[in-house]
Amino acid sequence: MPLRLSRLFLRTLRDNPADAEVASHQLLVRAGYIRRSAPGIYSWLPLGVKVLRRVEEIVREEMDAIGAQEVHFPALLPKEPYEATNRWEDYGDNIFRLQDRKAADYLLAPTHEEVFTLLVKDLYTSYKDLPLSIYQIQTKYRDEARPRAGLLRGREFIMKDSYSFSVAEEDQRAAYEAHRAAYLRVFERLGLPVVPVDAVSGAMGGSASEEFLFPCEIGEDTFVESPGGYRANVEAVTTVPPEAGDIDGLPAAAVHLTPGTDTIETLVAAAQADHPRPDRAWTAADTLKNVVIAVTTAEGERRVVVIGVPGDRDVDLKRVESTIGAQLGLAGEATVEAAGEEDLRQHPGLVRGYIGPGLDLEHPVLGQDASTGIPYFVDPRVVTGTSWITGANEKDHHVFGLVAGRDFTWDGVIESVVVEDGDPAPDGSGPLSTRRGIELGHIFHLGERYAEALGLRVLDVNGKLTTVTMGSYGLGVTRVLAAVAEAHHDERGLIWPGSVTPADAHIVATGKEAEIFETAESLAADLEARGLTVMLDDRPKVSPGVKFGDAELVGVPTILVVGRGLKDGVVELKDRRSGEAEQVPVDSAVDAVVDAVTERIRSLS
Amino acid sequence: MPLRLSRLFLRTLRDNPADAEVASHQLLVRAGYIRRSAPGIYSWLPLGVKVLRRVEEIVREEMDAIGAQEVHFPALLPKEPYEATNRWEDYGDNIFRLQDRKAADYLLAPTHEEVFTLLVKDLYTSYKDLPLSIYQIQTKYRDEARPRAGLLRGREFIMKDSYSFSVAEEDQRAAYEAHRAAYLRVFERLGLPVVPVDAVSGAMGGSASEEFLFPCEIGEDTFVESPGGYRANVEAVTTVPPEAGDIDGLPAAAVHLTPGTDTIETLVAAAQADHPRPDRAWTAADTLKNVVIAVTTAEGERRVVVIGVPGDRDVDLKRVESTIGAQLGLAGEATVEAAGEEDLRQHPGLVRGYIGPGLDLEHPVLGQDASTGIPYFVDPRVVTGTSWITGANEKDHHVFGLVAGRDFTWDGVIESVVVEDGDPAPDGSGPLSTRRGIELGHIFHLGERYAEALGLRVLDVNGKLTTVTMGSYGLGVTRVLAAVAEAHHDERGLIWPGSVTPADAHIVATGKEAEIFETAESLAADLEARGLTVMLDDRPKVSPGVKFGDAELVGVPTILVVGRGLKDGVVELKDRRSGEAEQVPVDSAVDAVVDAVTERIRSLS
């Protein structure tokens, strides 16, 4: 039976909903696919359910094809497993917690590493049972501080999450590669030009974790690429540091009066005017800017740290956030922001505009063991032997020629500045350019973390207990659907790829004559007999303009108009994407539609 | 690809899990379909996912066939719509409540009347848009006080819930009938001999609500049926009351000393010994037993009521529970239990073993306006003019010949006694017999309750706003799956109907010869080429006994054993249900299996 617009539970909207800023959100609501139920929580209308099921089915097919087995876990889970891995605490405000009638603690799971691990522990005991990959497609929950962009960042959403379990390292690597390949096939089938990028920085090796980003202006992630094929999330990019220089022979540092120079710009101008260097002009890159950051721990404690970066660079708080927790030895997800008035008031040792690490190693100002006790991190460009103009910790004073490693030191090195177009790729593959993207998937070598915490051990080939190695692979199903809408639309509406369209063809009957409606019905029946799914606009007393507008908004890629031309024996076949239309004889219309649909599936667009 | 037992994420158990008392729970866990994650919360293993999807698909097909449209709502919903209908309070402890990071109140929805109503209100405005039936298949939550019997009473479970919206009464009736017919088709396809029974008593008409019960010893519901075709949940059965009699001329009541008669049995014996009646012996039915019940309101307040019933009858607390709330004018779900020591202590006016309504209308003891103030309800058999032996509210004393309506009265009439085999059907269709059953579905004419509370009104044919009439139709998907397991198993394991089996055929390769395994593989491939799904026990080094045991436990209805007979060119085709086995030539084995599977689907078993 065709999907009849006369009966379909659908009401298209002329205007964008007030809270919708991105195209996928606007169009999915306007075209009647979803409706907001609460912040970050959506209901699915019949058209939305159809597209969602198709996306799920593509994901399922590709998971099954790599031998992953589908299971299904509860969304409502007891606290205990998540306590064993510290995630009950680590998630902070980001998960929904609740108690049952007996006051037992539960959560709405954001991911399921713990219970997958426990289930395998429950069932399996030997290396012979492994490797194993299991997955689920399931509703997940995350109490986002700022749900936004419709399905792109929601609080209730659907994810496919899989987990692999191996004894042998090479089995884990194979599972990772299999998932990687499956993800690329999923995105190809969805018509999404997704790029995998390194998600974890150098130390663990580029292959330890990759994100699948859909390049898109509205994306929340920034990634870089080089002409030589390097691709990484900015959070994972590593700076190519200069070689450490020789300290010997460098001139001694000197404090100068630099009145009213509490910005890098005024400082460079003053340096140039009052203390010019012989060889070249001073630049912002000669200054060491000490930025005060407030870190809030998962438990809500607020701490201040200072990060020293070259003065021509800005700090990227997201990059800081991704590693500062580990640097400070914190459990859980820390959040960071620029320090405020109150933070500075609490640390009178920090002289705003003139902060520096101290004048010599005997009298450090910044650092856990220094006079302020404030942890001090520096950019990788600050290597031993580099010489800087920086604050002298006294109003209107800066120190010139302060040499890293000779005059000051630091608690750690941190990747913290905005990666800029033209920065060199860490693998030497050329200058980086930056792009925005939406993260649609993330694959990890987890190692033994969860297996260790939850005691998942099996007998190895020698009969000895060995801890299992795991991988974890997420793919945001509802987010993918939104990304498809971002990738495939124009100003008039959605344009679904053939792989997920709610119907293969959309027949629009325009006019009043019974013959038009009868012909439309009969074409629908013939197309269904050929195995196609059909949407049929059989609404009486609705103007052709409204019907065409709805068809373009709803976005079925092949449109067949049965109208005035019928008296001359022709109908109009329209391609929603190109806008091209051709008159075809009504007798060959079914073949023409079947050809168009087949061609679309063949070309995956 | 066949489902290979060498790789399938499965571990069958020899013993029943300690917490499992019913067959479906025991077998679904032992055969590796589900695993417990928390009380009343289960995880689904690969075999379970397969059967669950098939059950869902049957439900979906039958819903689609009656023109219902699939949508999908969040499980996590804001409080407000449920406050508008009072259900936020009414559910008491039975729902999971939580707060988000901004302290906004949410619930995990147990059913979705409110948000379906609001969505229709959001989209539709005119009678022309209706009638409409929409449904979802979705995970639901209920914080059961006593989750039990595995999937039969869980806290996280899957339901299909649909809702119909009409302006015209006849459209609502048609939607109800369509759902009723669809449910019967679902159960037929699942091989479940389900019976629809009236679920609401007389006043609203028998068709206002029906339950679909699967007759089964372990069911929590009791229903009755008569030879003439009357069927009802015991909670909905109405008593055929005697005609009210004439009060004039009845002898006056008299109090007698009846020492040590605090039970009906001792009372009847004492009456017979000391105060015999001339015409016949006293029986328990001549006595009026006043039973003290404790009612706990949704808000947790505990109240005492007394129910007067003929002494030969026992009180059915579930029947009391189903109506006592309405009788007392309470909002929300009340729970009842027999009153305890403490309840009686709080009401010294109640003399245990000798409680009665009082000796005359001037001095009532029971009743809201009586000396105790305790609400007093009576069985429908207590009609004006009936005469009773009952307590005189004094230790060791009873009153004889106390006439209803002359000497005592009551606050209300309540259906409260256990319905017994032989009781007359209310429609005169003969004596009732009682059976146990599991409730698998429930359909309701909702009327305007939700539309009224949430303001769902549309323009009628005259352009006037009219409130929409609704129906609500639930079907427990996971519970249905458990019922199928209850209906289809034997002492050795599960026996799935062809419509939901995890595979059409289970090939068991037994022996060591490579030829056996090769033949099994090739038979599997041939069966798949014929469109069948195949499970293949290709495990090396597992004994035939273990393989046969697993096959019987897992419950695929058609089993093909490839083993010793192969050297003689035969394999064994076994019917799991009948246990019958036949040797078939290996060359015709594929045809034989296809025939067996086809026949099974044809006969729906």
Side-chain angles (χ1 to χ4, degrees), chain A residues 6 110 121 172 213 225 273 319 325 481 497 541 556:
Chain A
S6 61
K121 181 182 176 183
Q172 168 50 25
L213 298 183
E225 47 190 4
R319 292 190 81 200
L481 187 153
K541 299 183 200 163
V556 171

Side-chain angles (χ1 to χ4, degrees), chain B residues 103-121:
Chain B
D105 285 311
Y106 283 80
L107 58 83
L108 298 179
T111 66
H112 281 71
E113 279 81 356
E114 283 84 354
V115 285
F116 269 82
T117 306
L118 287 172
L119 184 65
V120 174
K121 180 182 176 184

Side-chain angles (χ1 to χ4, degrees), chain B residues 241-404:
Chain B
E243 298 243 336
D246 202 351
I247 291 170
D248 293 347
L250 290 175
V255 173
H256 294 299
L257 181 67
T258 52
T261 57
D262 59 355
T263 66
I264 297 297
E265 199 179 2
T266 52
L267 173 59
V268 171
Q272 190 60 27
D274 302 337
H275 310 279
R277 55 186 282 168
D279 53 343
R280 59 168 174 81
W282 291 111
T283 73
D286 296 316
T287 69
L288 179 64
K289 177 164 66 175
N290 294 294
V291 182
V292 189
I293 303 286
V295 180
T296 305
T297 69
E299 292 82 37
E301 189 198 342
R302 191 173 175 98
R303 297 196 199 174
V304 159
V305 302
V306 174
I307 301 176
V309 302
D312 61 335
R313 291 290 181 155
D314 290 322
V315 165
D316 179 337
L317 290 176
K318 262 187 91 175
R319 293 190 81 200
V320 174
E321 200 163 72
S322 70
T323 61
I324 192 73
Q327 292 265 15
L328 292 172
L330 300 175
E333 295 186 14
T335 56
V336 305
E337 60 184 336
E341 294 289 339
E342 181 57 28
D343 297 307
L344 290 170
R345 236 193 315 278
Q346 303 224 346
H347 294 279
L350 299 176
V351 183
R352 185 184 303 199
Y354 302 90
I355 299 170
L359 301 182
D360 60 59
L361 287 179
E362 300 298 304
H363 304 89
V365 173
L366 299 176
Q368 284 173 324
D369 300 325
S371 63
T372 58
I374 299 173
Y376 185 49
F377 298 99
V378 296
D379 183 78
R381 292 169 188 83
V382 183
V383 294
T384 296
T386 50
S387 174
W388 305 91
I389 303 175
T390 191
N393 296 307
E394 189 182 344
K395 184 162 162 49
D396 293 340
H397 289 75
H398 280 89
V399 56
F400 284 58
L402 195 75
V403 173

